[in-house]
Amino acid sequence: MSNELQAFIQTNQPIIEQKLAELIQEIHAPKKLKEAMAYSLQAGGKRIRPLFTLAVLEELNIKSEDATIVACTIEMIHTYSLVHDDLPAMDDDDLRRGKPTNHVVFGEALAILAGDALLTLAFGIVARLPELTAEQKIQLIERLSYAAGAEGMVGGQVLDILGEGKSLTLDELEKVHINKTGALLSYSILAGGIIANASEEIMKALQTYAFHIGLAFQIQDDILDIEGTSEQLGKTAGKDVLSEKNTYPSILTLAGAKEQLQKQYESAIGALKEVNMHEGLLVEFANYITKRSN
Amino acid sequence: MSNELQAFIQTNQPIIEQKLAELIQEIHAPKKLKEAMAYSLQAGGKRIRPLFTLAVLEELNIKSEDATIVACTIEMIHTYSLVHDDLPAMDDDDLRRGKPTNHVVFGEALAILAGDALLTLAFGIVARLPELTAEQKIQLIERLSYAAGAEGMVGGQVLDILGEGKSLTLDELEKVHINKTGALLSYSILAGGIIANASEEIMKALQTYAFHIGLAFQIQDDILDIEGTSEQLGKTAGKDVLSEKNTYPSILTLAGAKEQLQKQYESAIGALKEVNMHEGLLVEFANYITKRSN
């Protein structure tokens, strides 16, 4: 990781953590529910999505108090999706990042409701932002609903479930990822553009960058499952192969997946070049994502 | 039911049904997910909440195409809450209105995701309304998030779960209902006021009316469980007593509950009188809700 990116993360991660805690603390709700919401929200994680939002603002030289709050709402949506994914009826995971999952600690009913509450809260927080115009907020909410819902993340999750045990084509696998993880990641980048009132041209470049970086992120995930160690990953390596999951290496071979990763990386950087944003944080992020070891 | 109310329902219910079907049909999402969303959304029900929204508009003499759409988003939120409530981890209900519940037909994973998708879609649809101003949409979204989330419906559901097997006081029971069912019912009434650009005075009256009508609705539900027959109710009568559930009659006696119902009814009508809305649909609705037999 470059020094610039490292410094950016070290400055902004604690700001995100604190704001997340505040946003839960200030709601008037049953204590147990707030605990369940905060538990998963504060269970760690790289905070990639909120950092992306703030990085776009930084690159466009725009300061906005609202940006941190928007960044946090994206992490709420990401967290709710993890809480629901971990449920016994879904992936049935007892551990996430080495900690017991939400339903293990609070019970299934409360885990479902804490997820529902995080999702619902995210939209309300965007509607209440103090600085942005009503038009900007509506844009954010409209795109967030697409990215998180049936046409995005939830739809991708359904495709993933329906594809289990079947051999997917590369197109089908891409569709799963574009929806399941790409849509919300893309939103986190575009949200920065909306907050900054970026030009159409920049929005288009951000959209292309986001699309390719989302896929690159997933391909590297698949590669790491083969090449990484369990220690590096903080989860069992080699799990995809054992469970015969559809992955980029399983469809393209490991060498083919690496080639595909490079292609996505170059398309992402290419989009930034067209608007002269090819030096700075967004490129550093692309480097980090495609070269990370965890 | 008065002729006026009956005519209003007969006109508007089919409009709501058709718009609900259209709103699901037009999304681009996996077929199975759309089926699961449509299944519960079109499983019948009285459509009380959307009808309330449209009744407020009618009383204020405002025509708005957007109102029907807003009304449908409320039914989406109500439906998602029923789908999640019916899950094995929650109430574990196999039947609702005589039909198999969502998870019985589509499996638990898809039922959870269909609920998530309906909730997420509701916010996106409000953001995309063609006629309302961005400010009106933001007001609707902000209030909808409160009403449906940790500070409203989801919070009430949590209180209800935490209260199981305990004897609640009247205040505690009211708090459950104000949140669990009252908040969204209130929103359906206030949404009509927001769409109609109603004055502060009218909004305040609608808020008071909505608060008391929400409680009245719940008290009558509790009374019907004792006095109604299973045939009238379309569900097993007497279930609350058998399961030792906290209800208005269990805390106040049946006579006390009826007195309380009358009190809530009078407060609701009183609020309408202050703004000269005490003749017409909202009074008819209050009469119907407190005197219904199912």
Side-chain angles (χ1 to χ4, degrees), chain A residues 40-215:
Chain A
S40 289
L41 208 49
Q42 290 163 10
K46 295 190 277 285
R47 310 300 192 196
I48 293 261
R49 291 160 195 79
L51 287 168
F52 256 130
T53 307
L54 300 181
V56 171
L57 271 289
E58 179 114 344
E59 287 300 283
L60 297 172
N61 269 312
I62 303 285
K63 295 252 171 263
S64 161
E65 291 279 327
D66 281 2
T68 311
I69 305 174
V70 171
C72 288
T73 61
I74 303 170
E75 195 67 11
M76 285 180 187
I77 302 262
H78 174 59
T79 300
Y80 117 76
S81 77
L82 300 181
V83 172
H84 281 191
D85 278 7
D86 287 339
L87 287 167
M90 308 266 276
D91 291 350
D92 196 12
D93 273 321
D94 288 349
L95 287 174
R96 179 171 288 278
R97 297 189 195 108
K99 290 169 94 175
T101 44
N102 201 294
H103 65 271
V104 170
V105 179
F106 296 94
E108 270 186 69
L110 221 65
I112 295 168
L113 291 165
D116 293 345
L118 285 169
L119 171 57
T120 310
L121 181 61
F123 288 101
I125 291 174
V126 176
R128 283 194 293 282
L129 289 170
E131 287 178 3
L132 296 187
T133 64
E135 281 78 11
Q136 282 175 305
K137 295 192 235 179
I138 285 299
Q139 264 197 67
L140 288 171
I141 289 165
E142 186 179 349
R143 285 188 190 252
L144 179 58
S145 169
Y146 269 126
E151 313 200 20
M153 187 176 72
V154 173
Q157 179 67 22
V158 171
L159 288 179
D160 199 19
I161 290 173
L162 297 177
E164 270 168 25
K166 291 180 197 158
S167 277
L168 300 186
T169 64
L170 182 61
D171 276 358
E172 288 169 336
L173 181 68
E174 270 199 353
K175 202 174 170 195
V176 171
H177 292 313
I178 287 169
N179 287 291
K180 191 179 167 184
T181 52
L184 193 65
L185 200 78
S186 282
Y187 171 77
S188 72
I189 293 165
L190 292 175
I194 294 170
I195 297 168
N197 268 318
S199 67
E200 284 257 339
E201 201 193 353
I202 287 181
M203 284 301 282
K204 235 184 103 185
L206 289 176
Q207 193 141 21
T208 307
Y209 168 79
F211 179 85
H212 294 291
I213 230 45
L215 283 176

Side-chain angles (χ1 to χ4, degrees), chain A residues 26-30 32-33 37 80 84-85 87-90 108-110 112-117 119-128 133-135 137-138 141-142 144-146 148-152 154-159 161-162, chain B residues 26-30 32-33 37 80 84-85 87-90 108-110 112-117 119-128 133-135 137-138 141-142 144-146 148-152 154-159 161-162:
Chain A
E26 71 193 24
I27 60 176
H28 302 279
K32 203 85 197 150
L33 175 60
M37 292 166 79
Y80 117 76
H84 281 191
D85 278 7
L87 287 167
M90 308 266 276
E108 270 186 69
L110 221 65
I112 295 168
L113 291 165
D116 293 345
L119 171 57
T120 310
L121 181 61
F123 288 101
I125 291 174
V126 176
R128 283 194 293 282
T133 64
E135 281 78 11
K137 295 192 235 179
I138 285 299
I141 289 165
E142 186 179 349
L144 179 58
S145 169
Y146 269 126
E151 313 200 20
V154 173
Q157 179 67 22
V158 171
L159 288 179
I161 290 173
L162 297 177
Chain B
E26 71 193 25
I27 60 176
H28 302 279
K32 204 85 197 151
L33 176 60
M37 293 165 79
Y80 117 77
H84 281 191
D85 278 8
L87 287 167
M90 308 266 277
E108 269 186 71
L110 220 64
I112 294 168
L113 291 166
D116 293 344
L119 171 57
T120 310
L121 181 61
F123 289 102
I125 290 175
V126 176
R128 282 194 294 282
T133 65
E135 282 76 11
K137 296 192 237 180
I138 285 299
I141 289 165
E142 184 178 351
L144 179 58
S145 169
Y146 268 126
E151 312 199 24
V154 173
Q157 180 67 22
V158 170
L159 288 178
I161 290 173
L162 297 176

Side-chain angles (χ1 to χ4, degrees), chain A residues 1 216-217 220 224 227 232 261-262 265 269 283-294:
Chain A
M1 197 185 293
F217 186 84
Q220 178 65 359
L224 280 174
E227 293 198 329
Q232 281 173 325
L261 174 65
Q262 184 61 20
Y265 171 80
I269 304 298
V283 175
E284 304 292 350
F285 254 113
N287 291 335
Y288 163 64
I289 277 175
T290 48
K291 283 164 193 124
R292 73 205 158 90
S293 60
N294 67 26

